[in-house]
């Protein structure tokens, strides 16, 4: 059942294209260049992490990939479809989980999922069955008819993730997925991403903690001041940093320069001290 509910729908067409492609994607706010022309390819079936300190340009990039922020220049292709030229086709492939979500407090969990399905033009018995399966998967079934305003933070996170999965996306785009989750929910989310990519889905996530990047991601790009500083699997990053078996902290000091990553390192220290 879990497999079925997490399998992306086959939309054809873009099967041979990379799941996500950024071509010189650049974002400027006034005179300030937040993202400096990124080139990046994310393949189907991988969990790709965007790691960087505060202000590096992660949220800006995530929002460009999700199609909610227009790049100043450059292209974003999802399953081969250009987000600007074919937004409906490209966006139908995406399930976006923002860092500051808006939830309709006066809807129940069930109503909210049905509402989001409706935005994707889906209704009827299939949607009803899918709503129930997602609620069961996230252990929200007993609260299906309760208003979202009564949900805890963790329950809100779960209903939000369910809503991003309602239309069977191929690519989950998620900003800081672990923030605010208790260990059990974090574990559930990690298992969910693994199952999703195991069935051909793809995950593109941002994080400012090494812990999350290492625990979740197949490949990682380190972004700093709007550009990619290093990219690869953890092992590749290790060898790029010529650090052999050295601790991650040292690798990131080497690839990005110590000071810029000081807040990442600080959060790592705090995590280790806990
Ligand atoms: P954090 O981890 O703190 O969320 P981030 O890596 O997600 O950081 P962004 O939110 O993408 O970084 O911001 C990148 C840079 O762009 C920052 O310097 C930020 O101040 C700036 N910025 C972001 N949004 C805007 C905006 N709407 N107008 C002007 N500058 C912005």
């Amino acid at each position: 059942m879990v497999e079925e509910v997490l399998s992306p729908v086959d939309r054809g067409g873009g099967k041979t294209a990379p799941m996500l492609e950024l071509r010189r994607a650049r974002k400027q706010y006034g005179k300030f260049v937040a993202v400096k022309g990124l080139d990046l390819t994310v393949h189907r079936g991988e969990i790709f992490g965007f790691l960087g300190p505060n202000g590096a340009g992660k949220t800006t990039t995530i929002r460009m990939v999700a199609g909610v922020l227009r790049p100043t220049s450059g292209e974003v292709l999802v399953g081969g479809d250009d987000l600007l030229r074919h937004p409906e086709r490209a966006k139908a492939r995406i399930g976006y989980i923002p860092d500051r979500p808006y939830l309709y407090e006066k809807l129940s969990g069930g109503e909210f999922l049905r509402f989001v399905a409706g935005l994707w033009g889906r209704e009827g018995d299939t949607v009803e069955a899918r709503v129930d399966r997602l609620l069961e998967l996230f252990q929200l079934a007993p609260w299906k008819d309760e208003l979202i305003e009564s949900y805890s933070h963790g329950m809100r996170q779960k209903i939000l993730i369910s809503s991003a999965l309602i239309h069977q996306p191929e690519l989950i785009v998620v900003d800081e997925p672990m923030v605010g989750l208790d260990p059990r929910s974090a574990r559930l989310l990690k298992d969910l991403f693994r199952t999703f990519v195991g069935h051909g889905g793809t995950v593109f996530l941002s994080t400012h903690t090494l812990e999350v990047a290492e625990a979740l991601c197949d490949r990682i790009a380190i972004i700093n001041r709007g550009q990619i500083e290093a990219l690869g699997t953890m092992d590749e990053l290790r060898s790029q940093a010529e650090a052999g078996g050295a601790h991650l902290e040292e690798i990131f000091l080497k690839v990005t320069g110590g000071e810029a990553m000081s807040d990442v390192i600080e959060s790592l220290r705090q995590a280790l001290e806990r």
Side-chain angles (χ1 to χ4, degrees):
M1 185 200 91
V2 172
E3 275 70 18
E4 185 199 330
V5 82
L6 290 179
S7 296
V9 76
D10 183 2
R11 291 178 175 81
K15 272 281 167 203
T16 53
M19 190 65 247
L20 173 66
E21 233 184 314
L22 272 67
R23 295 183 184 158
R24 308 298 301 154
R26 184 169 174 281
K27 183 68 193 180
Q28 198 166 333
Y29 298 111
K31 284 189 179 156
F32 177 71
V33 184
V35 172
K36 293 178 183 162
L38 298 183
D39 285 309
L40 181 68
T41 302
V42 177
H43 308 294
R44 283 176 194 271
E46 69 177 343
I47 302 182
F48 191 97
F50 225 44
L51 172 70
N54 295 123
K58 302 182 298 294
T59 297
T60 301
T61 307
I62 287 275
R63 298 188 76 218
M64 288 196 288
V65 166
V68 296
L69 187 67
R70 199 185 173 97
T72 309
S73 58
E75 292 173 338
V76 179
L77 286 89
V78 183
D81 290 321
D82 187 318
L83 255 173
L84 286 179
R85 267 177 253 152
H86 306 288
E88 281 187 23
R89 245 172 32 210
K91 285 185 190 178
R93 298 181 191 275
I94 301 172
Y96 174 39
I97 308 174
D99 62 339
R100 285 188 215 128
Y102 184 81
L103 287 166
Y104 293 95
E105 306 260 328
K106 296 292 178 193
L107 294 184
S108 69
E111 285 169 338
F112 180 65
L113 294 186
R114 254 178 257 128
F115 167 72
V116 176
L119 296 177
W120 292 110
R122 292 173 176 227
E123 52 185 21
D125 292 348
T126 328
V127 165
E128 225 31 65
R130 196 161 169 75
V131 165
D132 286 339
R133 289 208 189 99
L134 282 164
L135 291 172
E136 276 164 36
L137 177 66
F138 286 95
Q139 293 154 343
L140 288 174
W143 290 276
K144 179 181 179 182
D145 298 319
E146 301 293 329
L147 297 188
I148 290 176
E149 67 183 7
S150 70
Y151 282 19
S152 69
H153 178 75
M155 289 163 77
R156 284 163 189 251
Q157 289 278 88
K158 289 189 209 171
I159 201 79
L160 181 71
I161 297 164
S162 307
S163 72
L165 290 168
I166 194 82
H167 61 299
Q168 291 176 275
E170 295 158 70
L171 171 67
I172 295 178
V173 179
V174 51
D175 206 354
E176 299 284 0
M178 296 306 180
V179 171
L181 290 186
D182 60 29
R184 191 163 163 272
S185 304
R187 172 84 217 191
L188 177 73
L189 193 60
K190 196 171 142 190
D191 291 348
L192 182 142
F193 286 165
R194 269 292 146 221
T195 310
F196 180 68
V197 298
H199 288 80
T202 308
V203 179
F204 183 71
L205 64 88
S206 80
T207 177
H208 65 280
T209 64
L210 297 172
E211 244 189 343
V212 170
E214 189 176 33
L216 280 179
C217 302
D218 300 310
R219 286 196 306 147
I220 294 159
I222 299 172
I223 181 170
N224 193 24
R225 295 195 186 97
Q227 57 195 19
I228 292 174
E229 306 253 0
L231 191 154
T233 62
M234 217 58 230
D235 284 346
E236 285 164 356
L237 290 179
R238 276 194 188 95
S239 57
Q240 274 180 38
E242 297 174 341
H247 193 273
L248 281 180
E249 186 175 320
E250 290 167 38
I251 297 168
F252 286 88
L253 274 170
K254 282 193 179 181
V255 291
T256 65
E259 277 178 32
M261 294 299 277
S262 58
D263 57 342
V264 173
I265 291 157
E266 187 48 42
S267 71
L268 177 73
R269 279 215 184 87
Q270 284 169 9
L272 290 173
E273 278 163 14
R274 250 179 254 138

